[in-house]
Amino acid sequence: MNFQFVEKRLIWGLSILAMAVVLNSCGSKNSGGSKTLSSKKGSSGKGILGIGKAGKEVPGVQNGEIVATTRKGWSQPTPYGMVLVPSGSYMMGQADEEVSRAGVNFNKRVTVAAFYMDDTEITNHEYRQFTYALLKDSVSVLGEDKIMSEYYPDTTVWKRDFTYHNGDPMTEYYFSSPAFDQYPVVGVSWVASKYFCLWRSKLMNDYRRKQGQFILPRFELPSESEWEWAARGGRASAKYPWGNPYISNAKGCLLANFKPHRGNYDADGYSYTAPANAYDPNDFGLYNMAGNVAEWCEDAYADNAVAVTWDLNTVNKDADEPRKVTRGGSWKDIAYYLETGTRAYELEQNKRSYIGFRCMMRYLGRPKQN
């Protein structure tokens, strides 16, 4: 018998077995390693010293040892009307090859953590719940004048935003009529949208506390980098949320609500805004990330944002800068503003007939990878 051959086969087999054990340990529950051979995380038996039942000790301490593991009852449900946007890394900035456009938003590699985002823009009827609550519960604190002037939608924007434009019907009916319940709210400032997020967070977590549940992360406006990553829908270099490079499909149907054909507003099916869930969603399940209404982002606007922001969960919170980023373009904009990399801004106190918003929520942890 060739013992040298058997020995080689035995060594080879043991090496394969050891490699399999190492690979199998990646991502497993016990992959964090152990302090000693006798310690066992999560064990409910006696401590490593073999001492019997301990006296009064706080939860997570047993026999003088820290045995705290995961607290029971925690889970992060998907908030109503939201979808999970996975974490990812992408080249933020213009996806168009034209030099004049590329200078608006220089490319930069950024990484964003996972988060939930509203699948549509906040609608009139959703925002109405906010104004109802303020007028019912907060008049004594905020005052009716402040509520109506700062947080209630300014319906006169339909007349003020455009010279010689008959905006009377929209002024009278857009926020009040049930016909527009599922259309995106407009005439809301960046300040008001932030306060909506605060109110929505309190509404949710007050209920969870009463139910004895852990609180969830607060609702916020998405950062500019989060918004752009969500708009791309996982398409790393997409010019539009649906991909490249056209604004209509093979049948000639326009893919968003904007200003096409030298001002033929009706060509996309809607003269003004469209329902918040109109058109097809992108690959993350998000509607109208291009067109319909532009959307407020958390960031203060900076011409040199690429230089002054970090490359992980990028955000520019400059309280002294009144210009705030808007993204996505609107029903009154040309296709250029629909591009995923195009940046624009508006003053934080201004209200427009073409700017709305949607909320996001942090995902705690990391989603399971398929």
Side-chain angles (χ1 to χ4, degrees):
M1 179 182 292
N2 189 342
F3 290 100
Q4 187 175 6
F5 175 76
V6 172
E7 183 179 2
K8 287 183 178 179
R9 291 295 296 266
L10 181 60
I11 293 173
W12 181 79
L14 290 174
S15 300
I16 294 296
L17 180 61
M19 184 179 297
V21 170
V22 171
L23 291 174
N24 190 52
S25 67
C26 295
S28 66
K29 291 183 177 180
N30 298 321
S31 61
S34 56
K35 293 182 179 179
T36 66
L37 292 176
S38 59
S39 68
K40 186 177 181 181
K41 293 274 186 178
S43 173
S44 58
K46 293 183 178 180
I48 61 173
L49 300 179
I51 301 175
K53 189 175 181 180
K56 285 188 176 181
E57 292 178 319
V58 298
V61 174
Q62 187 180 93
N63 300 330
E65 293 285 338
I66 299 175
V67 295
T69 55
T70 303
R71 287 178 286 177
K72 304 299 181 184
W74 164 254
S75 64
Q76 187 169 359
T78 301
Y80 180 79
M82 286 190 158
V83 297
L84 179 62
V85 177
S87 59
S89 180
Y90 72 106
M91 291 300 292
M92 183 177 178
Q94 290 293 137
D96 202 293
E97 295 181 355
E98 294 184 28
V99 176
S100 60
R101 296 186 177 187
V104 175
N105 191 6
F106 292 103
N107 295 111
K108 175 181 180 178
R109 169 70 66 177
V110 299
T111 301
V112 294
F115 57 94
Y116 294 104
M117 179 177 260
D118 285 320
D119 61 355
T120 70
E121 296 133 345
I122 296 298
T123 65
N124 282 318
H125 201 42
E126 288 172 329
Y127 197 83
R128 194 174 291 115
Q129 310 313 307
F130 168 58
T131 58
Y132 282 164
L134 291 187
L135 291 171
K136 178 183 177 182
D137 303 324
S138 302
V139 171
S140 60
V141 178
L142 298 174
E144 186 173 352
D145 289 344
K146 182 179 179 67
I147 292 172
M148 296 303 294
S149 63
E150 292 194 20
Y151 305 129
Y152 201 86
D154 183 358
T155 59
T156 65
V157 293
W158 293 104
K159 294 180 64 176
R160 290 190 294 102
D161 282 348
F162 311 106
T163 306
Y164 298 112
H165 166 250
N166 182 20
D168 288 350
M170 299 296 283
T171 296
E172 186 173 356
Y173 298 113
Y174 188 74
F175 187 66
S176 62
S177 174
F180 293 104
D181 276 354
Q182 296 306 308
Y183 284 63
V185 68
V186 297
V188 175
S189 68
W190 181 85
V191 173
S193 64
K194 292 275 289 179
Y195 201 71
F196 174 91
C197 292
L198 181 64
W199 169 82
R200 187 179 178 186
S201 302
K202 187 176 186 303
L203 180 71
M204 174 188 66
N205 282 323
D206 281 353
Y207 173 81
R208 291 184 63 86
R209 288 189 186 94
K210 291 177 182 177
Q211 300 300 313
Q213 300 172 338
F214 292 107
I215 65 172
L216 295 177
R218 62 186 175 274
F219 294 100
E220 302 177 71
L221 293 179
S223 69
E224 189 176 5
S225 60
E226 289 166 340
W227 191 96
E228 186 172 325
W229 169 243
R232 291 175 184 270
R235 298 171 182 260
S237 58
K239 180 177 178 179
Y240 300 109
W242 50 83
N244 293 325
Y246 305 112
I247 55 176
S248 59
N249 61 20
K251 296 181 179 179
C253 300
L254 294 170
L255 298 171
N257 180 21
F258 65 113
K259 180 183 177 180
H261 306 159
R262 296 179 180 270
N264 185 355
Y265 292 92
D266 198 52
D268 52 41
Y270 302 93
S271 299
Y272 292 100
T273 58
N277 62 350
Y279 306 97
D280 292 329
N282 70 3
D283 290 347
F284 285 158
L286 301 168
Y287 293 85
N288 287 302
M289 294 300 285
N292 212 21
V293 293
E295 299 175 15
W296 290 114
C297 291
E298 178 69 30
D299 299 61
Y301 183 84
D303 293 318
N304 61 339
V306 170
V308 300
T309 56
W310 202 33
D311 55 0
L312 173 62
N313 290 331
T314 306
V315 66
N316 178 20
K317 292 189 176 184
D318 184 356
D320 297 325
E321 174 55 74
R323 298 177 301 170
K324 304 303 180 184
V325 172
T326 61
R327 286 298 201 108
S330 74
W331 60 268
K332 63 90 181 172
D333 291 317
I334 61 174
Y336 165 69
Y337 289 98
L338 273 60
E339 296 180 20
T340 55
T342 300
R343 308 174 69 229
Y345 67 85
E346 184 55 80
L347 299 180
E348 61 186 28
Q349 294 284 0
N350 283 358
K351 301 178 179 183
R352 298 295 187 189
S353 60
Y354 46 85
I355 299 179
F357 70 101
R358 71 179 81 207
C359 305
M360 59 81 68
M361 175 192 284
R362 310 284 167 197
Y363 182 89
L364 302 184
R366 187 178 178 89
K368 292 181 180 179
Q369 302 297 315
N370 294 328

